[in-house]
Amino acid sequence: MAKYAPLFPSVFIDLNILFAEGIRYLDVHPVLPDDTPEDIKSGSAELLSSLLLNSALAAHKLGGSANAQSAVNWTTRAIERLTLSDAENGKALYRRALAYATLHEEELAEADLQKALELVPGDAACSAELARLQAVRKAKREKEKKAFKGLFS
């Protein structure tokens, strides 16, 4: 699906709008009535986490710094306010790391990926992104060393 994302940007725009509408609806009705069955209450929380994480994914697929910042906001909200399983928390941290990487916040992205790997050890996507980020940071340091090498000698 990811390789076809550039071909169908309007799909991600439409999805992002739908996710945002769902999130807004749940924000307007954050507290359900006391007589609401437990399965509906838990379903509401699950729906909100799904909407937040999928909205972050759609924003990431759309690209750009504004969408990346939206992805950071959605995932941070899910991580800080919802009770997520380890797998969901790992997914949220991974998606936030992707957004941080888009915003050139490599240190924050790396920290999120390391936390995600603690929660979901051996996750291939997290490991690959962490390796890519570490290579980018190393290349950046080498470039800086080279640029400042003769400056202070």
Side-chain angles (χ1 to χ4, degrees), residues 47-70:
L47 177 61
L48 181 58
S49 72
S50 179
L51 287 169
L52 289 169
L53 296 180
N54 287 326
S55 183
L57 177 62
H60 172 70
K61 295 293 184 188
L62 287 170
S65 59
N67 289 320
Q69 189 59 53
S70 293

PDB file of all heavy atoms in Angstrom, residues 47-70:
ATOM      1  N   LEU A  47     -11.907   2.811  19.468  1.00  0.00           N
ATOM      2  CA  LEU A  47     -12.169   3.587  18.258  1.00  0.00           C
ATOM      3  C   LEU A  47     -11.321   4.846  18.239  1.00  0.00           C
ATOM      4  O   LEU A  47     -10.724   5.191  17.210  1.00  0.00           O
ATOM      5  CB  LEU A  47     -13.654   3.943  18.163  1.00  0.00           C
ATOM      6  CG  LEU A  47     -14.057   4.811  16.969  1.00  0.00           C
ATOM      7  CD1 LEU A  47     -13.758   4.104  15.654  1.00  0.00           C
ATOM      8  CD2 LEU A  47     -15.536   5.170  17.059  1.00  0.00           C
ATOM      9  N   LEU A  48     -11.239   5.547  19.366  1.00  0.00           N
ATOM     10  CA  LEU A  48     -10.438   6.767  19.428  1.00  0.00           C
ATOM     11  C   LEU A  48      -8.963   6.466  19.153  1.00  0.00           C
ATOM     12  O   LEU A  48      -8.315   7.187  18.389  1.00  0.00           O
ATOM     13  CB  LEU A  48     -10.598   7.463  20.773  1.00  0.00           C
ATOM     14  CG  LEU A  48      -9.828   8.778  20.940  1.00  0.00           C
ATOM     15  CD1 LEU A  48     -10.240   9.788  19.873  1.00  0.00           C
ATOM     16  CD2 LEU A  48     -10.050   9.349  22.324  1.00  0.00           C
ATOM     17  N   SER A  49      -8.435   5.392  19.750  1.00  0.00           N
ATOM     18  CA  SER A  49      -7.028   5.066  19.503  1.00  0.00           C
ATOM     19  C   SER A  49      -6.806   4.718  18.035  1.00  0.00           C
ATOM     20  O   SER A  49      -5.824   5.141  17.425  1.00  0.00           O
ATOM     21  CB  SER A  49      -6.550   3.934  20.414  1.00  0.00           C
ATOM     22  OG  SER A  49      -7.096   2.702  20.035  1.00  0.00           O
ATOM     23  N   SER A  50      -7.733   3.983  17.448  1.00  0.00           N
ATOM     24  CA  SER A  50      -7.625   3.633  16.035  1.00  0.00           C
ATOM     25  C   SER A  50      -7.676   4.883  15.157  1.00  0.00           C
ATOM     26  O   SER A  50      -6.894   5.031  14.211  1.00  0.00           O
ATOM     27  CB  SER A  50      -8.746   2.665  15.664  1.00  0.00           C
ATOM     28  OG  SER A  50      -8.679   2.333  14.301  1.00  0.00           O
ATOM     29  N   LEU A  51      -8.591   5.794  15.464  1.00  0.00           N
ATOM     30  CA  LEU A  51      -8.708   7.029  14.692  1.00  0.00           C
ATOM     31  C   LEU A  51      -7.445   7.878  14.811  1.00  0.00           C
ATOM     32  O   LEU A  51      -6.952   8.416  13.812  1.00  0.00           O
ATOM     33  CB  LEU A  51      -9.922   7.836  15.149  1.00  0.00           C
ATOM     34  CG  LEU A  51     -11.290   7.294  14.749  1.00  0.00           C
ATOM     35  CD1 LEU A  51     -12.389   8.038  15.493  1.00  0.00           C
ATOM     36  CD2 LEU A  51     -11.492   7.395  13.251  1.00  0.00           C
ATOM     37  N   LEU A  52      -6.916   8.008  16.018  1.00  0.00           N
ATOM     38  CA  LEU A  52      -5.712   8.817  16.211  1.00  0.00           C
ATOM     39  C   LEU A  52      -4.516   8.233  15.464  1.00  0.00           C
ATOM     40  O   LEU A  52      -3.792   8.948  14.776  1.00  0.00           O
ATOM     41  CB  LEU A  52      -5.395   8.945  17.705  1.00  0.00           C
ATOM     42  CG  LEU A  52      -6.337   9.820  18.525  1.00  0.00           C
ATOM     43  CD1 LEU A  52      -6.069   9.650  20.009  1.00  0.00           C
ATOM     44  CD2 LEU A  52      -6.217  11.273  18.115  1.00  0.00           C
ATOM     45  N   LEU A  53      -4.315   6.921  15.599  1.00  0.00           N
ATOM     46  CA  LEU A  53      -3.149   6.302  14.963  1.00  0.00           C
ATOM     47  C   LEU A  53      -3.278   6.258  13.445  1.00  0.00           C
ATOM     48  O   LEU A  53      -2.298   6.468  12.724  1.00  0.00           O
ATOM     49  CB  LEU A  53      -2.915   4.904  15.534  1.00  0.00           C
ATOM     50  CG  LEU A  53      -2.569   4.866  17.024  1.00  0.00           C
ATOM     51  CD1 LEU A  53      -2.351   3.438  17.484  1.00  0.00           C
ATOM     52  CD2 LEU A  53      -1.356   5.720  17.324  1.00  0.00           C
ATOM     53  N   ASN A  54      -4.479   6.005  12.944  1.00  0.00           N
ATOM     54  CA  ASN A  54      -4.654   5.979  11.493  1.00  0.00           C
ATOM     55  C   ASN A  54      -4.604   7.379  10.898  1.00  0.00           C
ATOM     56  O   ASN A  54      -4.142   7.562   9.769  1.00  0.00           O
ATOM     57  CB  ASN A  54      -5.954   5.260  11.123  1.00  0.00           C
ATOM     58  CG  ASN A  54      -5.835   3.777  11.332  1.00  0.00           C
ATOM     59  OD1 ASN A  54      -4.779   3.187  11.139  1.00  0.00           O
ATOM     60  ND2 ASN A  54      -6.913   3.146  11.743  1.00  0.00           N
ATOM     61  N   SER A  55      -5.053   8.368  11.651  1.00  0.00           N
ATOM     62  CA  SER A  55      -4.935   9.747  11.198  1.00  0.00           C
ATOM     63  C   SER A  55      -3.460  10.137  11.105  1.00  0.00           C
ATOM     64  O   SER A  55      -3.052  10.821  10.169  1.00  0.00           O
ATOM     65  CB  SER A  55      -5.675  10.682  12.154  1.00  0.00           C
ATOM     66  OG  SER A  55      -5.619  11.995  11.684  1.00  0.00           O
ATOM     67  N   ALA A  56      -2.672   9.702  12.060  1.00  0.00           N
ATOM     68  CA  ALA A  56      -1.232   9.976  12.022  1.00  0.00           C
ATOM     69  C   ALA A  56      -0.581   9.310  10.814  1.00  0.00           C
ATOM     70  O   ALA A  56       0.266   9.914  10.149  1.00  0.00           O
ATOM     71  CB  ALA A  56      -0.575   9.480  13.310  1.00  0.00           C
ATOM     72  N   LEU A  57      -1.005   8.088  10.516  1.00  0.00           N
ATOM     73  CA  LEU A  57      -0.455   7.395   9.350  1.00  0.00           C
ATOM     74  C   LEU A  57      -0.826   8.117   8.055  1.00  0.00           C
ATOM     75  O   LEU A  57       0.019   8.333   7.183  1.00  0.00           O
ATOM     76  CB  LEU A  57      -0.959   5.954   9.297  1.00  0.00           C
ATOM     77  CG  LEU A  57      -0.524   5.130   8.086  1.00  0.00           C
ATOM     78  CD1 LEU A  57       0.995   4.986   8.055  1.00  0.00           C
ATOM     79  CD2 LEU A  57      -1.199   3.780   8.099  1.00  0.00           C
ATOM     80  N   ALA A  58      -2.084   8.530   7.932  1.00  0.00           N
ATOM     81  CA  ALA A  58      -2.521   9.246   6.732  1.00  0.00           C
ATOM     82  C   ALA A  58      -1.775  10.572   6.604  1.00  0.00           C
ATOM     83  O   ALA A  58      -1.355  10.950   5.506  1.00  0.00           O
ATOM     84  CB  ALA A  58      -4.033   9.475   6.767  1.00  0.00           C
ATOM     85  N   ALA A  59      -1.589  11.283   7.711  1.00  0.00           N
ATOM     86  CA  ALA A  59      -0.854  12.548   7.678  1.00  0.00           C
ATOM     87  C   ALA A  59       0.587  12.314   7.240  1.00  0.00           C
ATOM     88  O   ALA A  59       1.139  13.082   6.445  1.00  0.00           O
ATOM     89  CB  ALA A  59      -0.896  13.222   9.044  1.00  0.00           C
ATOM     90  N   HIS A  60       1.194  11.239   7.735  1.00  0.00           N
ATOM     91  CA  HIS A  60       2.571  10.918   7.337  1.00  0.00           C
ATOM     92  C   HIS A  60       2.647  10.620   5.846  1.00  0.00           C
ATOM     93  O   HIS A  60       3.561  11.068   5.158  1.00  0.00           O
ATOM     94  CB  HIS A  60       3.095   9.730   8.148  1.00  0.00           C
ATOM     95  CG  HIS A  60       4.414   9.233   7.664  1.00  0.00           C
ATOM     96  ND1 HIS A  60       5.577   9.960   7.815  1.00  0.00           N
ATOM     97  CD2 HIS A  60       4.756   8.112   6.999  1.00  0.00           C
ATOM     98  CE1 HIS A  60       6.571   9.287   7.272  1.00  0.00           C
ATOM     99  NE2 HIS A  60       6.098   8.165   6.778  1.00  0.00           N
ATOM    100  N   LYS A  61       1.684   9.875   5.336  1.00  0.00           N
ATOM    101  CA  LYS A  61       1.679   9.525   3.917  1.00  0.00           C
ATOM    102  C   LYS A  61       1.497  10.754   3.030  1.00  0.00           C
ATOM    103  O   LYS A  61       1.981  10.792   1.907  1.00  0.00           O
ATOM    104  CB  LYS A  61       0.573   8.508   3.603  1.00  0.00           C
ATOM    105  CG  LYS A  61       0.762   7.169   4.261  1.00  0.00           C
ATOM    106  CD  LYS A  61       1.951   6.461   3.701  1.00  0.00           C
ATOM    107  CE  LYS A  61       2.065   5.079   4.321  1.00  0.00           C
ATOM    108  NZ  LYS A  61       3.291   4.419   3.949  1.00  0.00           N
ATOM    109  N   LEU A  62       0.794  11.765   3.537  1.00  0.00           N
ATOM    110  CA  LEU A  62       0.597  12.988   2.766  1.00  0.00           C
ATOM    111  C   LEU A  62       1.892  13.787   2.664  1.00  0.00           C
ATOM    112  O   LEU A  62       2.082  14.543   1.718  1.00  0.00           O
ATOM    113  CB  LEU A  62      -0.505  13.845   3.389  1.00  0.00           C
ATOM    114  CG  LEU A  62      -1.914  13.314   3.189  1.00  0.00           C
ATOM    115  CD1 LEU A  62      -2.895  14.093   4.049  1.00  0.00           C
ATOM    116  CD2 LEU A  62      -2.317  13.393   1.729  1.00  0.00           C
ATOM    117  N   GLY A  63       2.790  13.635   3.641  1.00  0.00           N
ATOM    118  CA  GLY A  63       4.078  14.312   3.603  1.00  0.00           C
ATOM    119  C   GLY A  63       3.990  15.769   4.007  1.00  0.00           C
ATOM    120  O   GLY A  63       2.915  16.325   4.224  1.00  0.00           O
ATOM    121  N   GLY A  64       5.137  16.401   4.105  1.00  0.00           N
ATOM    122  CA  GLY A  64       5.203  17.810   4.473  1.00  0.00           C
ATOM    123  C   GLY A  64       5.301  18.013   5.968  1.00  0.00           C
ATOM    124  O   GLY A  64       4.887  17.165   6.755  1.00  0.00           O
ATOM    125  N   SER A  65       5.841  19.160   6.346  1.00  0.00           N
ATOM    126  CA  SER A  65       6.066  19.415   7.764  1.00  0.00           C
ATOM    127  C   SER A  65       4.768  19.669   8.534  1.00  0.00           C
ATOM    128  O   SER A  65       4.655  19.282   9.691  1.00  0.00           O
ATOM    129  CB  SER A  65       7.035  20.581   7.947  1.00  0.00           C
ATOM    130  OG  SER A  65       6.523  21.746   7.350  1.00  0.00           O
ATOM    131  N   ALA A  66       3.784  20.289   7.901  1.00  0.00           N
ATOM    132  CA  ALA A  66       2.514  20.536   8.600  1.00  0.00           C
ATOM    133  C   ALA A  66       1.816  19.223   8.921  1.00  0.00           C
ATOM    134  O   ALA A  66       1.300  19.036  10.027  1.00  0.00           O
ATOM    135  CB  ALA A  66       1.607  21.430   7.766  1.00  0.00           C
ATOM    136  N   ASN A  67       1.810  18.299   7.959  1.00  0.00           N
ATOM    137  CA  ASN A  67       1.195  16.999   8.198  1.00  0.00           C
ATOM    138  C   ASN A  67       2.003  16.183   9.200  1.00  0.00           C
ATOM    139  O   ASN A  67       1.434  15.447  10.009  1.00  0.00           O
ATOM    140  CB  ASN A  67       1.042  16.234   6.887  1.00  0.00           C
ATOM    141  CG  ASN A  67      -0.026  16.826   6.005  1.00  0.00           C
ATOM    142  OD1 ASN A  67      -1.069  17.239   6.477  1.00  0.00           O
ATOM    143  ND2 ASN A  67       0.233  16.898   4.713  1.00  0.00           N
ATOM    144  N   ALA A  68       3.323  16.314   9.153  1.00  0.00           N
ATOM    145  CA  ALA A  68       4.164  15.607  10.125  1.00  0.00           C
ATOM    146  C   ALA A  68       3.877  16.116  11.532  1.00  0.00           C
ATOM    147  O   ALA A  68       3.810  15.324  12.479  1.00  0.00           O
ATOM    148  CB  ALA A  68       5.636  15.776   9.782  1.00  0.00           C
ATOM    149  N   GLN A  69       3.694  17.416  11.683  1.00  0.00           N
ATOM    150  CA  GLN A  69       3.369  17.968  13.003  1.00  0.00           C
ATOM    151  C   GLN A  69       2.010  17.461  13.478  1.00  0.00           C
ATOM    152  O   GLN A  69       1.831  17.162  14.655  1.00  0.00           O
ATOM    153  CB  GLN A  69       3.395  19.498  12.971  1.00  0.00           C
ATOM    154  CG  GLN A  69       3.271  20.123  14.341  1.00  0.00           C
ATOM    155  CD  GLN A  69       4.371  19.693  15.299  1.00  0.00           C
ATOM    156  OE1 GLN A  69       5.550  19.798  14.990  1.00  0.00           O
ATOM    157  NE2 GLN A  69       3.982  19.178  16.458  1.00  0.00           N
ATOM    158  N   SER A  70       1.058  17.334  12.555  1.00  0.00           N
ATOM    159  CA  SER A  70      -0.243  16.758  12.922  1.00  0.00           C
ATOM    160  C   SER A  70      -0.073  15.321  13.393  1.00  0.00           C
ATOM    161  O   SER A  70      -0.697  14.906  14.371  1.00  0.00           O
ATOM    162  CB  SER A  70      -1.194  16.788  11.720  1.00  0.00           C
ATOM    163  OG  SER A  70      -1.519  18.107  11.386  1.00  0.00           O
TER     164      SER A  70
END
